[in-house]
Amino acid sequence: MTTDHQDTDTATLDTDVLVVGAGPAGLMLATELRLGGAEVVVVDQRPGPTTESRASTLHARTMEILDSRGLLDELGTPPCEPRGHFGGVPLDLTLPSSHPGQWKVAQTRTEELLQRRAAALGADLRRRHQLLSLTAEGGVEAEAIGPYGPVRIRARYLVGCDGEDSTVRRLVRAPFPGRDAARELLRADVCGVEVADRRFQRLEHGLAIAATREGVTRVMVHEFGRPAAERGGAEPDFAEVTDVWKRVTGEDISQGTPLWVNAFGDANRQLAHYRHGRVLFAGDAAHRQMPSGGQALNLGVQDAFNLGWKLAAVVRGSAGEDLLDTYHSERHTVGRQVLANIRAQVELLLGGPEVEPARALLTELVALDGVRQHLAGMISGLGIRYDVEGSEIHSDEPPLLGRRLPDAWLEPAEGGARRRTTELLRTGRGLLLSLDGDGAPALRATAAPWSDRVAFVADRPAADGPLPAGQALLVRPDGYVAWAGSGPAGLARALTRWFGTPAADD
């Protein structure tokens, strides 16, 4: 990144990628871009990480992602709850993973963690900067206003991670089809009240939720048949929350002291395209949904994790722009599936007595392990399978193809301490993992031209683990298996597709 002053009033920055928004998605993207060797500037209107009690759930796949970048030691061991829900129906979320269940981490802490890592890797984070305009013709030029005046930022690409009311989306005029909110939940964090914990309690007049932690009670309430209010961006008064709470539960919480009050509706929208030339979108800027089951933050972080290494490779020149098209095809599909499951959950949660038969049937179905695993995989992110071959995945293909590399123990072929597959992803490079333990000379020779982008490891899988002995796996920097085989057939094609032209041919 370079800085100059073309005139006395406007500072000018030059960088590879401009990220607008320093929430979890924007900060995760900045870390991945820097890990991949791209220069990045991040601008955000806020003075620092959020201080509001917003998203508080990290699902299993997000915890695996943080682990794969060595971030969990700093995070510590947050509380874990194995039980989640689908539309308020209890659901066991435990699936094979290094971090099964849902982990309770305040969004403030998640943002602080990612901000420290992004800064340590050299990202240029500029707070109190508001985006005013942008053009994207052969490159991107954006205008922002900061605390010391206007700033012009020139970049090769821009990524909008600026939330559900995205300024980038508005400036690009990106089509954002879907539906506006028709119903809403009121939410407040309150001190000085004593109410029983309620887990999705459906009463005669509405839905009530309450949980107390460290002296603070979070209440959420919806009154059946009550439409979403036109708030114009303003938050509800605490008096509105107490009135609705009393009508639904019969309890008076007006004597409490509100720490934070907000409302969130069941709007459900998704960008038609996650890429608009040199402008891309991730997180809530790409999709707007009710945060049912704690999926919104996790969906955004996983968007960024998918995009970061791809955009860095394009910026470095080691991959063509067609790699960015896989970001849209992969993450738009996942986003569409998540938004669909959230719509179903909204009906089950906020519908009146008419949804009780469907709730009763779902309660019976989740007792079937196949149904439970499917729903848990969807909510946790562990069930994702990408179309890495460019065609539909067939039942006779290797079971790990398109799926995340499992966290598993490996036995080094030449002795030494055992290591985890997750540890091999820490550098953010690709990985060719030979599981026969003898070095697989043909595989090594095939991958040699990509050695600057793909590490070669020959280890034996632990006997009781999930990895297939005698196989080889090509793993992308985001941890998904892009090729599997017992010999080099098809490997060079997969390496070219995901890691670009071999270095020897540059």
Side-chain angles (χ1 to χ4, degrees), residues 240-253:
E240 182 181 354
V241 178
T242 62
D243 287 347
V244 176
W245 183 265
K246 188 169 186 178
R247 289 199 297 271
V248 170
T249 69
E251 298 172 348
D252 185 1
I253 61 171

Side-chain angles (χ1 to χ4, degrees), residues 4-145:
D4 60 42
H5 294 269
Q6 290 191 345
D7 53 56
T8 58
D9 297 320
T10 303
T12 300
L13 306 176
D14 289 288
T15 190
D16 291 326
V17 181
L18 170 60
V19 176
V20 181
L27 292 170
M28 173 56 77
L29 180 61
T31 66
E32 290 301 292
L33 287 167
R34 288 299 301 136
L35 199 61
E39 296 289 340
V40 58
V41 171
V42 184
V43 297
D44 192 283
Q45 296 184 60
R46 299 175 300 161
T50 182
T51 57
E52 296 177 343
S53 180
R54 291 188 178 271
S56 60
T57 297
L58 297 181
H59 282 297
R61 180 56 191 151
T62 301
M63 291 291 285
E64 290 180 350
I65 285 171
L66 297 179
D67 192 9
S68 73
R69 295 299 186 255
L71 286 164
L72 287 189
D73 287 346
E74 186 176 350
L75 189 63
T77 306
C80 178
E81 296 180 4
R83 188 179 68 161
H85 74 95
F86 189 91
V89 175
L91 178 67
D92 181 356
L93 293 174
T94 54
L95 293 172
S97 169
S98 57
H99 296 85
Q102 53 182 352
W103 301 75
K104 294 303 176 182
V105 181
Q107 183 171 331
T108 298
R109 195 174 176 199
T110 301
E111 290 188 14
E112 290 171 346
L113 175 72
L114 293 174
Q115 178 174 301
R116 284 193 293 272
R117 176 55 61 91
L121 289 171
D124 183 355
L125 175 56
R126 302 201 171 215
R127 296 283 186 179
R128 297 186 176 91
H129 278 66
Q130 180 181 3
L131 181 69
L132 301 177
S133 66
L134 68 90
T135 59
E137 297 179 3
V140 175
E141 185 167 305
E143 298 283 346
I145 186 72

